[in-house]
Amino acid sequence: MTATQTQARNAAFAGVLQRQGAAVVLVLGIFASWFAFPHFGSPDNLRNLVLQGSFLAVIALGMTFVIISGGIDLSVGSNYALGGVLAAYGAQYGFFVAILLPLVVCSLIGLVNGLLIARTGMAPFIVTLATLLFARGLLLALTSEGSTTYKVEPGSAFLWLGQGTIFGVGVPVYITLVLFALGGLLLRRTRFGQSVFAIGGAEQSAMLMGLPVARTKISLYTLSGGLAGFAGVLTAAYLQSGVTVIGVGTELDAISVVVIGGTLLTGGAGTIIGTLVGVLLRTLIQNVINQIGTLDSNYQTVVSGAFLLVVVVIQRLLARSRTR
């Protein structure tokens, strides 16, 4: 085997490891947990595991598109909380108002993000940090500094979105799977998805190719805001109220699972299925810590942070090995 062939084989292996490494860790973690903890493999625990991961997964789906394009969206956590409050408030006016009100408001916040980033050239970090504060401030204004909690009346059809089950599995899980399937088709099978990868890989080249860079960015951030708001809708239906304290740090959770799933923070590479794996892996870590019982819940953050750091370092090393 020639040196060129060896180099090509090593680069291919590094690429596969970068994309599928989280999936391998997830499978190994499930097997280890299954044998180590008697209650891990119980149907109730597994159903709860996927249900708890579904809310973050919806937010992370939008974040995946944004990061692949080379951007970042720090406003999703506040949009998530705002969406939940608006959904609980709108539920008193009917099922459709409870869904449409947060979708419209949060998508508009995402639209503002996209317009400022695409049309003015402002840094995504600064723009989305500003809208993070705006959305959180709007949330506090609507709830009188958090003292008012909007509740969904028992028996409301809206509650089925969060508390309903199909074959014993929560409705949010099915909704999440449908959204991820649609997201995968959008990213891999449409010109829009090709534009997202092209912008993340080399934005100037994408512009020279005649791709609608500004329009794509606006659509991406609008999508991210809308999905964050919809995650809030599902959470409000699940908790039967608009909880004002959720969403703090959720943007960092979303970024972490996207990166753990193999999407490069520098943009230009990533998969929808990888993000789903990242969400499941993070949820698995949380579940294992709960199964141990003797560890403080704060260790979830410690483990997640350490794991993310390791993943980013490995990604950097793999990227260098592929370019040699």
Side-chain angles (χ1 to χ4, degrees):
M1 183 178 293
T2 65
T4 303
Q5 291 174 325
T6 301
Q7 185 178 6
R9 186 184 64 179
N10 291 339
F13 177 75
V16 172
L17 187 60
Q18 178 180 304
R19 294 189 300 269
Q20 308 299 335
V24 174
V25 174
L26 175 63
V27 172
L28 293 176
I30 290 175
F31 273 108
S33 301
W34 200 292
F35 289 106
F37 306 105
H39 299 293
F40 177 82
S42 66
D44 286 341
N45 184 62
L46 295 178
R47 283 194 292 264
N48 182 65
L49 191 149
V50 295
L51 177 61
Q52 294 302 319
S54 61
F55 306 110
L56 176 60
V58 174
I59 302 172
L61 176 60
M63 186 69 77
T64 304
F65 280 87
V66 172
I67 292 180
I68 290 176
S69 73
I72 203 77
D73 189 354
L74 299 180
S75 66
V76 293
S78 294
N79 271 338
Y80 170 51
L82 178 61
V85 169
L86 290 174
Y89 171 79
Q92 61 185 311
Y93 301 106
F95 180 84
F96 293 105
V97 175
I99 298 175
L100 292 178
L101 179 61
L103 281 180
V104 170
V105 173
C106 294
S107 294
L108 283 174
I109 293 175
L111 176 62
V112 171
N113 283 336
L115 287 171
L116 290 175
I117 293 167
R119 298 301 185 187
T120 69
M122 295 176 65
F125 180 89
I126 299 300
V127 173
T128 58
L129 178 60
T131 50
L132 175 155
L133 299 174
F134 171 82
R136 184 64 64 174
L138 180 58
L139 163 68
L140 294 175
L142 291 172
T143 59
S144 302
E145 300 295 325
S147 62
T148 302
T149 301
Y150 297 104
K151 296 185 179 295
V152 183
E153 293 295 327
S156 171
F158 171 68
L159 295 177
W160 180 80
L161 286 176
Q163 300 178 0
T165 60
I166 301 175
F167 301 116
V169 179
V171 169
V173 177
Y174 293 100
I175 294 175
T176 300
L177 291 176
V178 170
L179 290 175
F180 267 74
L182 294 174
L185 290 174
L186 181 64
L187 187 62
R188 292 293 180 180
R189 303 296 182 184
T190 65
R191 295 187 64 182
F192 174 80
Q194 295 173 0
S195 297
V196 173
F197 280 107
I199 293 169
E203 184 173 332
Q204 292 300 320
S205 298
M207 294 179 65
L208 293 174
M209 291 168 60
L211 295 177
V213 173
R215 188 173 65 196
T216 302
K217 284 187 175 183
I218 293 170
S219 300
L220 286 173
Y221 285 94
T222 304
L223 176 66
S224 180
L227 285 172
F230 186 64
V233 171
L234 296 178
T235 301
Y238 177 68
L239 298 177
Q240 204 170 330
S241 64
V243 181
T244 58
V245 296
I246 64 171
V248 178
T250 301
E251 60 279 352
L252 302 181
D253 293 333
I255 294 169
S256 69
V257 297
V258 171
V259 175
I260 288 171
T263 298
L264 296 180
L265 271 174
T266 52
T271 63
I272 296 299
I273 190 65
T275 295
L276 187 59
V277 169
V279 172
L280 292 174
L281 187 54
R282 182 183 182 279
T283 308
L284 173 66
I285 293 172
Q286 293 177 333
N287 192 266
V288 167
I289 291 175
N290 292 333
Q291 293 283 337
I292 294 174
T294 57
L295 292 178
D296 189 274
S297 60
N298 291 324
Y299 278 99
Q300 295 177 2
T301 305
V302 174
V303 174
S304 297
F307 192 78
L308 175 61
L309 181 61
V310 171
V311 169
V312 172
V313 171
I314 291 175
Q315 280 190 352
R316 173 68 68 176
L317 295 175
L318 290 174
R320 287 181 178 177
S321 67
R322 294 178 66 183
T323 57
R324 289 176 181 173

